[in-house]
Amino acid sequence: MLLASLCGMAPALADDTPYSKGMRAYGAKDFAAARKEWAQSLAEGGPDEALNNLGFLYYHGLGGDARPGKAVALWRKGAALAVSESQLHLGQALEAGKGVDRNLVAAYAWYRCSVATAGKLSRNDRAEASIEKDAIAALAKLAATMSAAEREAGGRFALTLIAKYSEPLSMVP
């Protein structure tokens, strides 16, 4: 899956920011440089999407050793800040049991939260529309493998997540 925020659909940022440098490095497939720049971006306070992007590199071992546990920790922070793609990736990690204990109910809930979060912006934002589409597909695929009781539990958990984490926040005070 492509990171929507890495596909040129994210809002343009000043060319000299670590986040922008990370975007350019990723586009050039210099994943080690992208790791460094996005880590610096986070140290400087954001944007929050750097949590998702750096997590993606760690999870897949791009630009260095794979560190799925660290990726999941970054995605949890991003998910709590209403980064819809972090919510989607967290769901995928929970579904796969990579970097975190496998938990289909939690994966289902995070997919629903991602759909809700991205859906609030998808009408005017191509990146969010793409994330929403991917989250809907992941949710449908997972739901087909779950029991009715698991889906019901996931739905209840999703309501809690959506209430807490579907409105954009910021790491910057």
Side-chain angles (χ1 to χ4, degrees):
M1 177 174 87
L2 294 175
L3 287 143
S5 61
L6 298 176
C7 294
M9 294 185 273
L13 298 172
D15 286 344
D16 61 345
T17 65
Y19 185 80
S20 296
K21 291 176 185 177
M23 295 290 283
R24 287 194 302 275
Y26 184 89
K29 299 191 183 327
D30 184 352
F31 302 125
R35 274 189 186 207
K36 177 184 171 217
E37 294 297 342
W38 285 328
Q40 181 62 38
S41 178
L42 292 173
E44 293 178 7
D48 300 339
E49 288 75 14
L51 292 161
N52 176 69
N53 300 353
L54 184 58
F56 184 86
L57 296 177
Y58 283 145
Y59 194 78
H60 295 286
L62 299 172
D65 292 336
R67 299 177 65 190
K70 182 153 177 94
V72 167
L74 290 170
W75 288 335
R76 284 189 190 281
K77 289 179 186 176
L81 293 168
V83 176
S84 62
E85 198 165 18
S86 286
Q87 294 167 344
L88 172 61
H89 287 142
L90 180 55
Q92 290 169 333
L94 286 159
E95 182 178 359
K98 182 176 174 184
V100 65
D101 289 340
R102 188 168 195 242
N103 185 330
L104 300 183
V105 170
Y108 182 92
W110 279 112
Y111 287 152
R112 285 199 41 196
C113 188
S114 179
V115 169
T117 304
K120 291 180 180 185
L121 303 170
S122 63
R123 182 176 282 186
N124 299 316
D125 186 320
R126 291 183 332 170
E128 293 297 332
S130 177
I131 295 163
E132 180 183 29
K133 179 182 169 194
D134 290 343
I136 289 169
L139 180 62
K141 184 178 174 188
L142 177 59
T145 70
M146 297 172 71
S147 70
E150 289 172 319
R151 287 190 306 273
E152 184 178 325
R156 284 191 309 271
F157 186 29
L159 293 175
T160 301
L161 295 178
I162 291 166
K164 291 173 86 171
Y165 304 123
S166 68
E167 291 295 329
L169 302 172
S170 178
M171 292 184 348
V172 181

